Amino acid sequence: GENVEQHPSTLSVQEGDSAVIKCTYSDSASNYFPWYKQELGKRPQLIIDIRSNVGEKKDQRIAVTLNKTAKHFSLHITETQPEDSAVYFCAASPYSGGYQKVTFGTGTKLQVIP
Amino acid sequence: NAGVTQTPKFQVLKTGQSMTLQCAQDMNHNSMYWYRQDPGMGLRLIYYSASEGTTDKGEVPNGYNVSRLNKREFSLRLESAAPSQTSVYFCASSPGTSSSNEQFFGPGTRLTVL
């Protein structure tokens, strides 16, 4: 089955700096890569996703890059703000046009220091 | 719309007791999922239901059973609870169509087994 590794497990940055979280996956059949944000005591929520036919995707201060050859993808947050503090999960899925059996990474706890 | 709802929010069981976690969604989604979340281990898939009438094992199905009661409801049953099942349980749903992959999570159930 799919194995997703995520690094680092914790990350502290100063407000306004950038944060980068990296993930690797093992199954070459995976072609859908979502990122979820989970605030303390809350449910995970999708913040951005990318499909394998795209190398990069941006949404305001958030961007995701994908290198299919190397089987790794990354989340980039620029101009970090205190409200970005949360746990971030990467995931991979061999999307088949319907349901998706998603494998999650172990999470990165991001702390943005004001 | 309420989205994905779960009951109960908190539960304490003694070893060997049984219980059912309830999940319902009002978004007309085809696919539903049960995850458990443990510190440092991310979200692990227990069971999923690609569509009404079907269920399949995920990564950690041992000790659990599920029922897709109808399109809206997907329950998770612990027949004989064990301390290793102490966790936070999340239900999720997704459209299960080619147009959208996003999974929507419920608020979670915090279960403690003594």
Side-chain angles (χ1 to χ4, degrees), chain A residues 51 56 72:
Chain A
R51 295 196 187 187
E56 183 176 4
H72 65 72

Short mmCIF file of all heavy atoms in Angstrom, two decimals, chain A residues 51 56 72:
data_model
loop_
_atom_site.label_atom_id
_atom_site.label_comp_id
_atom_site.label_asym_id
_atom_site.label_seq_id
_atom_site.Cartn_x
_atom_site.Cartn_y
_atom_site.Cartn_z
N ARG A 51 -3.12 17.79 -8.59
CA ARG A 51 -3.16 16.52 -9.31
C ARG A 51 -1.85 16.33 -10.06
O ARG A 51 -1.12 17.28 -10.31
CB ARG A 51 -4.36 16.49 -10.25
CG ARG A 51 -5.68 16.52 -9.52
CD ARG A 51 -6.82 16.12 -10.38
NE ARG A 51 -8.10 16.31 -9.70
CZ ARG A 51 -9.25 15.91 -10.17
NH1 ARG A 51 -9.32 15.31 -11.33
NH2 ARG A 51 -10.36 16.12 -9.49
N GLU A 56 2.75 22.71 -10.12
CA GLU A 56 2.65 23.69 -9.05
C GLU A 56 1.26 24.31 -9.05
O GLU A 56 0.65 24.48 -10.12
CB GLU A 56 3.71 24.79 -9.24
CG GLU A 56 3.73 25.82 -8.12
CD GLU A 56 4.85 26.85 -8.29
OE1 GLU A 56 5.56 26.81 -9.31
OE2 GLU A 56 5.00 27.69 -7.39
N HIS A 72 7.93 13.34 -4.56
CA HIS A 72 7.79 14.20 -3.39
C HIS A 72 7.01 15.46 -3.74
O HIS A 72 6.95 15.90 -4.90
CB HIS A 72 9.13 14.51 -2.71
CG HIS A 72 10.10 15.29 -3.52
ND1 HIS A 72 9.95 16.63 -3.82
CD2 HIS A 72 11.28 14.92 -4.06
CE1 HIS A 72 11.00 17.04 -4.52
NE2 HIS A 72 11.81 16.03 -4.68
#
